Amino acid sequence: MSQQMHLGLFAAANGHHAGGWRHPEAGTESPLELEYYTGIARQAEQAKLDMLFLADKLAIDDNYGGSFDLTVTHRPTLSAEPLTLISALGAVTKRIGLAATASTTYHEPYHLARMFATLDHLSKGRVAWNVVTSTSDAEARNFSKASHLDHATRYERAQEFIEVVRSLWDSWGPDSLLWDKERGVVADKRKIHYVHHHGPWFDVKGPLNVPRPPQGHPVLIQAGSSETFRELAARHAELIFTAQPNLASAQGFYRDFKSRVVRYGRSHQDVKILPGTMVIVGDTEREAREKEQHLQSLIDTNTGLAFMSGSMNYDLSKHEPDAPFPDIEQEIRGSRGRFQFVFRKAREEGLTLAQVARWYIQSRSHHVVVGTPGSIADRLTSWFREEACDGFNLMAPYMPGGLDDICGRVVPELQSRGVFRSSYTGSTLREHLGLRQPVNRFAEQAGLASGEREAANGEREQV
Amino acid sequence: MSQQMHLGLFAAANGHHAGGWRHPEAGTESPLELEYYTGIARQAEQAKLDMLFLADKLAIDDNYGGSFDLTVTHRPTLSAEPLTLISALGAVTKRIGLAATASTTYHEPYHLARMFATLDHLSKGRVAWNVVTSTSDAEARNFSKASHLDHATRYERAQEFIEVVRSLWDSWGPDSLLWDKERGVVADKRKIHYVHHHGPWFDVKGPLNVPRPPQGHPVLIQAGSSETFRELAARHAELIFTAQPNLASAQGFYRDFKSRVVRYGRSHQDVKILPGTMVIVGDTEREAREKEQHLQSLIDTNTGLAFMSGSMNYDLSKHEPDAPFPDIEQEIRGSRGRFQFVFRKAREEGLTLAQVARWYIQSRSHHVVVGTPGSIADRLTSWFREEACDGFNLMAPYMPGGLDDICGRVVPELQSRGVFRSSYTGSTLREHLGLRQPVNRFAEQAGLASGEREAANGEREQV
């Protein structure tokens, strides 16, 4: 069997295209109905996707003109809290992985370690944590902070946060639960460890009050592209979600990132890179193009400006929409790396602010592939074969119709090309992704008999 | 139909009696298997209970001698994180209410407001938040604090925390989502409000990024008995979970608390009081007593001391177990009100520290009713009729056998006495409990047309 790609479904209740919710094939379901999400998860599972991926934001943005009016008016911005949502979805699915986003800037590591450990137990090893550092002041102001942490500082905090969470996941050794009714012994205290973390951001004693997760550690996902991000992610991340506008940039990112991973003593197989990719599907190329144009006609330009302001953490209302895109690269305080390409594109193509906003809000700078199921599958396969990625985090422009296109039309084409599974072979998300179980940092400590050490080492070999 | 009692199932994966997990009818299921909890939730739903109630603690206690060894060794202390757990259980049940505990001392109000709002949407109005302030230094040390906040301070924080959460739940008015594809309008911005909270503990701007929960606000539960607790709870709580050792004390608490509620301008129907009650069931009175004694024989005394140390946030290892119970009432820093009765009991009965520990760990000072299904139902009915409570939060000494006793034997006796429902009449937890929808604080603000005001007022009347 040839090398297989990995596919996530980047699930957004109302689709990813800013005009998608107005498309005739879009539902008007509330973004908070369990049945709606259950339908999405089951359909993705039937298509044998690796995982469902849920993004998150901890506020309704109001950077643009200091108001949330545009943010709430013309584009669905509501979102179910992802940790609770994936728990419900774990209860109604059996095999598909479930990735939830949570911010290291506004959470506490003990809570997140415990929630993800619980989720991993309840789902039998199917969860992933998408680690983000958040982007906007609107988020800070919901957490008793005047403004968002600067880029370098929030990455420092993220680094320490991840370290604490991973140590808590290690605080229970394998087979620590005994349930010996006769002797009255529940657990083997020798296999449970304080973590005694003391750092600039956190002091956490531990141990966790949930045993080691079935996957050892839930899969760690990170999304971004800045230099700071790459250095952090190269040490910890097991799956990278990234926005890559074209094949060449994706190949460059792929090469660069895999080499960094190796510099940190990891194998390049230890990290999978999945660019976000929106697919707009038609029966013919022409129909697909028309669909793309129709979707674009449903966009409100001002909403695009408001949305981009939120991602930049910068108020674009100071600038004239129809003037050339302003030179503000040094002033934005939100997602940095992501906008490098946007600034370059605006300069190279001589675009106005409004033109950039309309382009950006279409897919939030993610790659868009427009065509028939066959031609889309060809494009995806060539990215995969030409070392631009290990797979894709697929985005539907609207829901649920766009999901039918992905699961019912594009995925079967990939399966027939032999680059994507037709049935699950593993049961955990790590197994779907071909990722190793992490070693438990406490496994080598004194007190473990040699057989136990072997069992602990054996964990590492398992794929 | 006569007045009906309300019944919660205080669900602990391995039962509530400290020796319960060793009982022959106890399972050896991991406390983290979804199927296990699903079975519990469905059984409770078939018995038409109002709700499943999940406690929580944010650490493994190590007050006793500065070590967690006893805590982990002889008594199951692991617990699934309750917010993620009730989300999974909401997906596999239809009617039963789901209450999760979360601490105001170690959480952020925006996260909790959002998670409970999400849970209320996903479960269609079936969730409750059991508000606690936490008890022990072990918890503090998992959240970068040297020690737990003192009693008065943590209640001040709790008061403000609840206020912030409730305002966030109000930040979306009813019918604010429009989904007008034609005009391109998702939501009515006039019905979405900043909360602009500025207080000693929190600055939260809002709005929430989840619309108003189906219940208006998820049901607010509080547990405790101290004076500070009663004053806080009389303003906010809709359901009180309390440990009452006997009929007279329960009646006293009931009278006192209901009169406080009225002093805060609420009706005494606005709060339901449910004492925790462990039932030990036998075919005959004698068999039930023998079962109680058998369970008691399975207890490890030192584990009792360690557990009580955690609840007191005080190290009992300094005291001789077989000496009279020490005079430390002013020194404990954990659950205060709850131990007043314990100290009194120890004095009146001249008990040693070890004797108190063995008694305390049986049901953690909750009322224990031992007997046949019929005699237990009689006792519960007389407490209910004699104004000692509005129902009970029932505790099984061991699981799953103890749950069969509650759902299959005690509840049918209550139903045949006409004091408990035989089928659900409502669909939300508020409806099960006969609690009113809260008024939205923003509903009366300018910008609402008169019809909208009526709709908002109408909410208040709904039961």
Side-chain angles (χ1 to χ4, degrees), chain A residues 108-118 161 164-166 168-169 208 210 213 218:
Chain A
E108 283 282 339
Y110 196 88
H111 285 312
L112 281 197
R114 186 159 176 242
M115 286 184 166
F116 278 107
T118 299
F161 194 114
V164 176
V165 168
R166 297 181 68 161
L168 288 167
W169 287 335
L208 200 61
V210 175

Side-chain angles (χ1 to χ4, degrees), chain A residues 124-347:
Chain A
K124 302 197 190 336
R126 295 189 285 133
V127 307
W129 170 27
N130 179 40
V131 183
V132 299
T133 62
S134 298
T135 49
S136 87
D137 290 343
E139 297 175 283
R141 289 176 193 140
N142 287 331
F143 294 91
S144 304
K145 305 272 187 293
S147 62
H148 193 44
L149 291 180
D150 72 74
H151 195 265
T153 310
R154 66 185 193 249
Y155 272 95
E156 281 164 28
R157 181 180 158 110
Q159 160 77 20
E160 187 180 336
F161 194 114
I162 294 171
E163 189 51 38
V164 176
V165 168
R166 297 181 68 161
S167 69
L168 288 167
W169 287 335
D170 285 343
S171 65
W172 283 69
D175 309 315
S176 32
L177 284 167
L178 303 172
W179 295 111
D180 184 337
K181 284 186 181 187
E182 207 49 55
R183 289 168 52 229
V185 178
V186 175
D188 183 350
K189 64 187 182 191
R190 296 172 311 149
K191 295 185 179 172
I192 303 163
H193 307 275
Y194 285 118
V195 303
H196 289 307
H197 175 89
H198 301 288
W201 288 95
F202 306 107
D203 288 288
V204 178
K205 189 175 182 189
L208 200 61
N209 54 359
V210 175
R212 186 167 177 77
Q215 294 186 101
H217 299 177
V219 174
L220 280 187
I221 303 178
Q222 289 190 261
S225 32
S226 71
E227 175 65 25
T228 325
F229 159 78
R230 292 185 200 199
E231 279 303 292
L232 174 64
R235 270 179 278 186
H236 294 292
E238 301 179 291
L239 193 153
I240 298 295
F241 174 46
T242 177
Q244 295 298 330
N246 54 54
L247 178 64
S249 87
Q251 287 171 322
F253 180 85
Y254 191 85
R255 252 192 326 271
D256 173 76
F257 195 82
K258 295 262 172 165
S259 72
R260 283 175 202 253
V261 165
V262 173
R263 277 213 302 281
Y264 281 106
R266 307 168 70 198
S267 147
H268 65 96
Q269 283 302 316
D270 288 346
V271 180
K272 310 299 173 187
I273 298 176
L274 272 59
T277 303
M278 181 186 285
V279 296
I280 299 179
V281 184
D283 288 339
T284 62
E285 296 294 328
R286 184 177 162 173
E287 189 189 295
R289 286 280 156 213
E290 283 169 0
K291 189 189 272 190
E292 183 190 25
Q293 282 158 24
H294 178 215
L295 282 165
Q296 204 63 13
S297 75
L298 299 172
I299 285 177
D300 176 87
T301 305
N302 289 330
T303 305
L305 293 168
F307 181 74
M308 206 157 64
S309 291
S311 303
M312 288 178 161
N313 200 21
Y314 175 85
D315 182 2
L316 288 169
S317 76
K318 309 180 230 185
H319 302 280
E320 179 53 50
D322 295 319
F325 193 81
D327 181 19
I328 51 172
E329 193 160 357
Q330 297 311 313
E331 294 174 55
I332 65 171
R333 296 179 302 117
S335 301
R336 275 274 171 84
R338 174 156 200 176
F339 281 101
Q340 285 168 1
F341 167 76
V342 177
F343 285 105
R344 198 162 57 239
K345 178 185 173 76
R347 273 195 304 272

Side-chain angles (χ1 to χ4, degrees), chain B residues 5 43-44 48 65 69 131 221 234 279 295 305 317 321 367 378 443 451:
Chain B
M5 64 169 67
Q43 196 170 352
K48 317 301 177 198
D69 288 2
V131 183
I221 303 179
V279 296
L295 282 165
L305 293 168
S317 77
H367 184 218
D378 287 340

